[in-house]
Amino acid sequence: MIIAIGNGTACRETEQLVSELISDLDSGKTCILPDPPPPPPKPVFVPPPAKVVPPPNPVEGASPSAEGSPPAADVPPPIPIEPVVEAVVPPPEPVAPPPPPEPVVPPPPPEPLPDLPKDIAFVIVNEAGASDYSASPIAREEFPNFDATTRGTISIGRRLQDPLAELVKIDPQHVGVGLYQHDVRPKHLKESLEAVIESCVNEVGVELNTASVPLLRHVSGLNQLVARDIVEYRTKNGPFRHRAQLKEVPGIGDARFTQAAGFLKIPNSEDPFDTTWIHPESYAIALQALTELGFAPADLRDPAKHTALRDKLNAVNLTEFAAKLNVSEPAVNDIFEALAKPGRDPRDDRPPPIFKKGILKLEDLQPGMELKGTVLNVVPFGAFVDIGLKDTGLVHISQMANRYIKNPYEIVAVGDVVTVWVLKVEEDRRRASLTMISPGTERKPPERRPVEARPPREPREERPPSDRGSRPPRPPMQQRPEGQQQPQRGGPPSRGGPPQRGGPPRGGPRRFGPGANVGEQAQSPPLPPPPPPPPKKPQKPKALPKLSQDALKGKAPLHTFGELEAFFKAKDAPPPPPPAPPAPEAAVPPPVESPSTEAPAPTPPPDTTEGGQPG
């Protein structure tokens, strides 16, 4: 019996409650329920007493007579007046006293709790995206009569049974795929996640008679509409009996069947090959291979014969067997792997989830303790591992392997079950440092080679004292008259430029050390100060962008700081003076037309001939 607990806000409190319950069951404790409170006493109705009105007083002047004496003759007898009663209520019946309390009988001892399986445990399940699923149309279609809380609870339990079939119902962006998923374009992120989900579904395979629409649509060759047609056909005609029945579903042709049939499995199929990864096109080759090895297809359902079948398959020479069947060697290898493990689920090779029976406290941890945990999150500097504490432990990237690691994803991924050892416990900060390196196998720094002892150096021979200091000092340098240029070093002086340096020094090599003439340096006149640098030219003011009238009025947006500066400068500038009114134009009298005199037409030049006579 397994109890699934989601890793939500109250995960640790629920885990502690379940662990205490399991501890009580293991110790055989009984559950004593408190007695219910006694019911309140019923109120007793007591009617109010009746009011009696007294009779009126007798008439004044009448004297009472003695009892038995006759009335006086002159006095008439008084008229008897009966008392008036407003209401006559019978007196209440006497209430019987309550019976004496019965002696208290001690309750029988509580019955012990029913025997539960001894292997009862609990496991922490990642509930990321459960709230999104509970409010999705898929959840309302599957459980129309349940509320959102119940749907989320069912989803957490199903994730323990078949995580892949349940997680495909949730948008992968809501599961939490990393720290920087929002830095990627949503379109590219969705395409990448869809490709990963499709790869996982096709690697694990799908059970055709129990798969839902969200799971079937990720099978290679199928889509949302075809997956819904398969579910409707299964609901109407019952479960599929063999893979060939898929061709009866509308929308599945030969090409789609060829592409999808190898990933759809039917455990209780009429054909035993439908439980394997063998494609229907290779059923004849698989049957021939089993016949050559002395087995029948029905033997695939008998676990007792699987070991013998594997031994014979391992003893076969693939090259010779492929040539005998006239099939390629990789195809024969794939068929043999499918026959060796019929109904194999690739997830069986991964470590199972961690089942717990008690809760772990931080005070229980000791350095060097070995634990198993589940990776909850991977970050650039390490991984957070759930080892059963209220706060997760951290495995630093330097404690993941005995080698250099650039990215923690090279070693672990979210959901991996890893073995860790306690490295350090900090009770004041409520955290634990873990390591994935087994104690005693830590990487040791490279040993440094011992420095070989060098033989002592021989003392240097004393040199004779230098005779440089015995030279007479140079005569003092003569001062130049004003206006005369200093001779340049390294060549003739240049015209209109700074002095050139880099030529051979004047007067031979310069001398330094104790033999140098220090007095010469002290007697040399100081160099003139360098001329001041020329003043910098003022920079031209930067031209501001021109703004439109709408921008100046505040009706159009400003896009740059330059436009903003131009806006405020235009606002602070004085308004332009109003234009001067145009001067009135003087009336120009119309021109007086003078009588036109026709000018005589010009006479053409006379045409002369060679002799000079007119023609």
Side-chain angles (χ1 to χ4, degrees):
M1 181 179 179
I2 306 298
I3 302 174
I5 303 175
N7 61 341
T9 306
C11 167
R12 298 307 177 189
E13 290 76 6
T14 308
E15 185 178 358
Q16 184 175 0
L17 176 63
V18 174
S19 63
E20 292 176 357
L21 176 61
I22 295 176
S23 177
D24 293 345
L25 292 175
D26 292 342
S27 59
K29 291 184 179 180
T30 56
C31 180
I32 303 176
L33 299 178
D35 296 334
K42 295 182 179 181
V44 179
F45 176 74
V46 179
K51 295 182 180 180
V52 180
V53 180
N57 295 329
V59 182
E60 294 180 1
S63 60
S65 58
E67 185 178 355
S69 61
D74 55 350
V75 178
I79 302 173
I81 300 176
E82 298 180 357
V84 180
V85 180
E86 290 184 355
V88 178
V89 180
E93 297 179 358
V95 180
E102 298 179 358
V104 179
V105 179
E111 298 181 0
L113 294 176
D115 295 335
L116 295 177
K118 295 183 179 180
D119 55 350
I120 182 174
F122 64 91
V123 63
I124 305 299
V125 180
N126 188 0
E127 64 174 17
S131 58
D132 296 295
Y133 164 77
S134 60
S136 64
I138 300 175
R140 288 194 294 267
E141 182 180 355
E142 291 183 344
F143 308 104
N145 300 327
F146 294 154
D147 57 353
T149 305
T150 308
R151 295 172 193 156
T153 305
I154 296 174
S155 176
I156 294 174
R158 283 183 170 183
R159 293 185 188 193
L160 181 61
Q161 297 174 341
D162 193 349
L164 181 61
E166 195 64 23
L167 291 176
V168 294
K169 303 176 184 178
I170 306 170
D171 188 356
Q173 300 182 25
H174 297 161
V175 178
V177 294
L179 297 177
Y180 308 104
Q181 66 180 24
H182 299 292
D183 298 342
V184 187
R185 289 187 178 181
K187 178 182 177 182
H188 297 167
L189 178 63
K190 184 176 181 181
E191 292 176 355
S192 178
L193 294 177
E194 289 286 341
V196 172
I197 293 174
E198 184 175 351
S199 174
C200 294
V201 170
N202 293 324
E203 183 181 358
V204 174
V206 175
E207 189 174 341
L208 186 57
N209 287 328
T210 58
S212 60
V213 175
L215 184 60
L216 287 172
R217 75 179 184 89
H218 290 289
V219 176
S220 179
L222 304 183
N223 53 31
Q224 182 79 15
L225 297 178
V226 178
R228 189 167 294 277
D229 292 339
I230 292 176
V231 174
E232 292 178 356
Y233 180 89
R234 186 179 65 197
T235 305
K236 182 178 180 181
N237 302 302
F240 289 90
R241 298 183 301 275
H242 46 79
R243 285 176 173 172
Q245 196 177 354
L246 273 172
K247 297 182 178 180
E248 301 177 5
V249 178
I252 296 184
D254 293 339
R256 197 182 295 274
F257 174 80
T258 303
Q259 191 174 3
F263 306 105
L264 302 174
K265 301 179 182 179
I266 306 176
N268 299 323
S269 173
E270 298 175 355
D271 193 341
F273 291 135
D274 289 346
T275 61
T276 65
W277 287 95
I278 303 176
H279 196 274
E281 294 179 346
S282 303
Y283 280 0
I285 302 175
L287 179 60
Q288 185 178 357
L290 284 177
T291 306
E292 292 288 339
L293 297 175
F295 292 90
D299 297 336
L300 298 177
R301 296 179 176 174
D302 189 2
K305 297 183 179 181
H306 289 174
T307 304
L309 178 60
R310 291 194 201 98
D311 295 341
K312 287 195 175 183
L313 289 174
N314 294 331
V316 172
N317 189 348
L318 287 179
T319 305
E320 298 178 358
F321 204 82
K324 185 177 182 180
L325 297 179
N326 196 15
V327 187
S328 63
E329 187 173 344
V332 174
N333 186 28
D334 294 342
I335 292 175
F336 279 11
E337 289 182 358
L339 293 176
K341 295 180 180 180
R344 169 183 171 271
D345 192 335
R347 294 173 293 183
D348 295 341
D349 300 335
R350 300 182 61 85
I354 301 176
F355 300 106
K356 308 176 183 178
K357 288 193 173 184
I359 191 171
L360 187 64
K361 298 181 180 179
L362 189 66
E363 293 77 10
D364 300 336
L365 297 183
Q366 297 294 334
M369 183 183 296
E370 181 179 353
L371 301 169
K372 278 189 175 292
T374 306
V375 179
L376 296 182
N377 194 11
V378 180
V379 291
F381 55 84
F384 291 97
V385 182
D386 179 16
I387 55 176
L389 293 174
K390 186 174 183 180
D391 301 319
T392 57
L394 173 64
V395 179
H396 194 263
I397 187 173
S398 61
Q399 298 294 330
M400 288 186 172
N402 270 330
R403 57 184 177 86
Y404 172 74
I405 299 173
K406 186 177 181 180
N407 189 357
Y409 279 103
E410 299 176 7
I411 305 297
V412 296
V414 176
D416 289 353
V417 178
V418 294
T419 302
V420 295
W421 287 266
V422 180
L423 191 64
K424 183 173 61 174
V425 180
E426 301 179 14
E427 296 186 5
D428 53 343
R429 305 178 68 177
R430 305 298 299 175
R431 69 179 187 180
S433 300
L434 309 175
T435 178
M436 296 175 59
I437 304 175
S438 176
T441 61
E442 292 86 355
R443 178 178 53 184
K444 298 180 179 180
E447 297 181 359
R448 296 183 179 181
R449 297 179 180 178
V451 180
E452 298 179 357
R454 297 180 180 180
R457 294 182 180 181
E458 298 179 358
R460 295 181 180 181
E461 299 179 358
E462 296 184 358
R463 296 180 181 181
S466 177
D467 57 349
R468 292 180 182 179
S470 60
R471 293 183 181 182
R474 290 186 177 185
M477 183 179 291
Q478 298 180 0
Q479 295 186 358
R480 300 185 305 272
E482 295 183 1
Q484 183 178 357
Q485 261 189 348
Q486 181 181 359
Q488 307 296 332
R489 298 180 181 179
S494 60
R495 298 180 181 179
Q500 296 181 0
R501 298 179 181 179
R506 185 181 57 180
R510 299 180 64 181
R511 292 175 296 174
F512 300 93
N517 298 330
V518 183
E520 297 180 2
Q521 299 179 4
Q523 296 177 4
S524 61
L527 297 176
K536 295 183 179 179
K537 297 181 179 180
Q539 297 182 355
K540 296 182 179 180
K542 188 176 180 181
L544 297 176
K546 296 182 180 180
L547 301 179
S548 61
Q549 293 297 329
D550 292 342
L552 291 174
K553 295 178 181 179
K555 297 181 179 180
L558 304 178
H559 302 284
T560 61
F561 286 102
E563 295 181 357
L564 186 63
E565 183 181 359
F567 174 79
F568 281 105
K569 283 192 175 183
K571 186 177 179 181
D572 298 339
E585 298 181 357
V588 179
V592 180
E593 296 182 359
S594 59
S596 61
T597 56
E598 295 181 0
T603 56
D607 188 12
T608 59
T609 59
E610 294 179 359
Q613 300 293 332

